[in-house]
Amino acid sequence: MATDPSKYLLNHSMLRVKDPKASIKFYEFLGMKQINKLDFPENKFSLYFLAYDDKESASTGAHWTDRQGLIELTHNYGSENDPNFKIANGNSDPGKGFGHVCVSVDNIQAACQRLEDAGYKFQKKLSDGRMRHIAFALDPDSYWVEIIGQNDSEKTKDFKETNTGTYRMNHTMIRVKDAEKSLKFYQETMGMDLLRTNENPDNKFNLYFLGYTGNSNPPLQAHREGLLELTWNYGTENDPNFKYHDGNAEPQGFGHIAVSVDDIDKACARFDEEGVQWKKRLTDGRMKNVAFILDPDGYWIEVIQNERMKRTSNW
């Protein structure tokens, strides 16, 4: 039996962090919970996996590989004590590429006020600029966290309370050089569905939202988890010298997105048939339970086994 891309999940997005205690505190304040931790003391790093896991969440109680919209925080031991250590958040050169993660909330005004009252900073408040329906909070490493409303912002402006149990880790944004190439890759090779296109000709950029729908009728976009937003600025595809930063060369920050699959051996065989460029095959190195593909811009895509569908690893 062949692999079925309709069963794939956009499982997580990895961010390197300076101080895991500060980062976990921030994402827990946003309502996420640590659902797994993997320690690699011999290599001097730990991985923390956070997800929405309340009774109203999308995948409460599921195995961490059987979910969408997780955030993986990678901590290299000792960085919290290094005054010169700084993460590249992806939004300025020389590390521009990754843009943000996005959390959708019930009552956006109340959610933003709660963050502000807790002392967290913003890249853009709701009241800034012309777009009064979105905000960008800053996590402890200055990664941008977009805040969007699940409900019409005009109808929530008088609400004073917010329920973090209803929040969703909605999407991860990366900038792409060539929209046509990236859309073909993520749809045909990775098996995602194009859910929405937002064209902005006046500002010379387009946004494309993709995700795994599982051949079902998905909820409204703001209520979903595990989407991928591609941002394309017009003309970059025609510049032979133009290149986005993948986050894994210096300066480092964002690391990868991860897709969990129904059968990792068969999925990797399919990716081989599709002619993907590998960063790491399953057979490379000591970790035989993960692989890494490179997308058209060189962003890393981790491939892992959905452990609900086939038990392969004790993690």
Side-chain angles (χ1 to χ4, degrees):
M1 183 176 178
T3 183
D4 183 356
S6 71
K7 296 179 180 177
Y8 295 1
L9 302 174
L10 184 50
N11 178 252
H12 69 258
S13 300
M14 187 276 263
L15 305 175
R16 296 177 177 88
V17 299
K18 177 184 175 85
D19 184 343
K21 290 182 180 179
S23 296
I24 291 170
K25 181 180 178 182
F26 172 82
Y27 287 103
E28 286 182 341
F29 189 78
L30 276 174
M32 303 188 89
K33 295 180 180 179
Q34 182 183 318
I35 62 168
N36 196 27
K37 181 187 179 189
L38 301 176
D39 293 313
F40 299 88
E42 67 280 7
N43 300 114
K44 299 183 179 180
F45 72 90
S46 292
L47 310 177
Y48 302 82
F49 293 87
L50 295 100
Y52 284 102
D53 199 49
D54 284 302
K55 61 182 180 180
E56 297 169 273
S57 300
S59 56
T60 304
H63 191 274
W64 73 271
T65 61
D66 189 33
R67 299 172 183 245
Q68 302 205 84
L70 276 66
I71 291 181
E72 174 191 350
L73 304 179
T74 294
H75 170 234
N76 293 291
Y77 299 171
S79 59
E80 68 276 22
N81 299 317
D82 182 352
N84 298 315
F85 183 90
K86 191 176 187 301
I87 290 293
N89 71 7
N91 289 298
S92 61
D93 288 321
K96 195 170 187 177
F98 165 77
H100 60 259
V101 294
C102 174
V103 173
S104 67
V105 302
D106 53 355
N107 305 320
I108 191 167
Q109 293 88 350
C112 288
Q113 188 62 54
R114 178 175 173 269
L115 278 164
E116 190 171 352
D117 290 346
Y120 289 112
K121 297 179 180 179
F122 282 77
Q123 178 67 27
K124 177 200 176 299
K125 295 184 179 182
L126 276 178
S127 56
D128 295 340
R130 291 180 298 174
M131 299 182 72
R132 303 298 178 93
H133 61 288
I134 62 171
F136 285 88
L138 294 174
D139 87 347
D141 288 289
S142 294
Y143 288 117
W144 295 12
V145 180
E146 185 178 14
I147 311 295
I148 63 172
Q150 297 169 359
N151 304 298
D152 186 338
S153 60
E154 282 299 309
K155 297 179 180 179
T156 61
K157 61 184 179 181
D158 294 324
F159 285 81
K160 303 301 181 185
E161 301 294 328
T162 182
N163 177 9
T164 60
T166 65
Y167 292 10
R168 301 284 187 266
M169 217 305 278
N170 182 254
H171 70 257
T172 297
M173 186 276 266
I174 55 175
R175 298 174 178 89
V176 299
K177 174 177 179 172
D178 189 322
E180 184 176 346
K181 286 183 179 178
S182 294
L183 287 170
K184 181 178 181 181
F185 173 82
Y186 280 104
Q187 290 178 95
E188 296 182 11
T189 302
M190 299 308 300
M192 292 184 179
D193 300 308
L194 179 61
L195 303 177
R196 182 165 69 91
T197 299
N198 184 357
E199 297 183 349
N200 296 273
D202 292 343
N203 296 307
K204 298 182 179 180
F205 72 89
N206 289 355
L207 309 177
Y208 305 92
F209 294 87
L210 301 102
Y212 292 110
T213 63
N215 292 327
S216 63
N217 292 320
L220 295 174
Q221 185 171 316
H223 292 266
R224 291 201 52 156
E225 291 191 309
L227 302 181
L228 181 66
E229 176 188 355
L230 305 180
T231 295
W232 169 56
N233 292 291
Y234 299 175
T236 53
E237 73 280 12
N238 298 318
D239 182 350
N241 298 316
F242 187 89
K243 190 177 189 305
Y244 281 119
H245 185 69
D246 65 10
N248 291 300
E250 294 294 343
Q252 291 187 323
F254 165 78
H256 60 260
I257 58 172
V259 172
S260 67
V261 299
D262 53 352
D263 186 305
I264 194 168
D265 296 297
K266 293 177 181 177
C268 285
R270 175 183 170 274
F271 290 137
D272 247 342
E273 292 172 359
E274 292 286 335
V276 302
Q277 183 178 353
W278 294 99
K279 180 66 180 179
K280 178 200 174 298
R281 294 178 179 270
L282 274 179
T283 52
D284 295 340
R286 291 182 298 171
M287 297 184 70
K288 307 297 186 183
N289 54 355
V290 299
F292 283 89
I293 293 169
L294 298 178
D295 89 344
D297 287 280
Y299 294 115
W300 296 16
I301 303 171
E302 186 179 18
V303 182
I304 61 174
Q305 175 66 49
N306 184 328
E307 295 293 326
R308 178 182 64 83
M309 296 184 169
K310 181 182 178 182
R311 195 71 178 171
T312 62
S313 302
N314 184 27
W315 60 7

